[in-house]
Amino acid sequence: MMINIAVWTDVDLDGAASYLVLKWMLLNKCDCKVMLNTCSPSKLRGEYLKWLQRNKNEDYDKIIMMDLDTSVVADLIDCSNVTIFDHHESHFAAAKKYKHAATHVRSCASTAQLIYEVLKSKSSTELTDAQKSLILHVSDYDSYTLALKQTKKLNCLYWTYNGNRYRDWE
């Protein structure tokens, strides 16, 4: 049976990496149709309201929100089919207010790392060393630790790439 999934993620490096980790650990294993939506945090409410003009939350088996402080759309997404992954401190207090959505909102170096940590015990997928290295570099950049030599270059490469960052990097 085909599962309909809507994914929302930030447009930045961590948002793209979060989508990759989700695909590697979950989406590639299921018979699913994924609608990917990307937006900046400042545009989330407007974009989600626009999306709701053509879609309904209940039309999807699962809606996954990643790397976005969704408190600005909490009234629109607090549904049992919604799962939220976020590591932004601004979201911590608001995350406790969700009554129906599954929340994974906590301190972590990146949302990509958070998704990996949450799903690794639930998934039979073992990531390669290269995949784990990507998560490590994204986390190093997103936390702005910058302890790894290539971290800044990775972010620069991400922002200068002209293709579809989400589809082409799968």
Side-chain angles (χ1 to χ4, degrees), residues 29-77:
K29 299 204 166 290
C30 68
D31 186 18
C32 58
K33 178 181 171 191
V34 177
M35 174 190 275
L36 176 62
N37 304 279
T38 61
C39 73
S40 64
S42 63
K43 294 182 179 178
L44 179 58
R45 185 158 185 93
E47 292 296 315
Y48 203 83
L49 285 168
K50 251 193 272 185
W51 183 79
L52 285 173
Q53 292 174 357
R54 302 177 312 276
N55 300 277
K56 295 179 191 160
N57 288 341
E58 57 269 16
D59 291 342
Y60 292 86
D61 298 296
K62 194 60 112 168
I63 298 173
I64 302 171
M65 311 292 288
M66 304 181 304
D67 198 33
L68 294 163
D69 179 341
T70 58
S71 59
V72 297
V73 291
D75 58 316
L76 305 172
I77 65 165

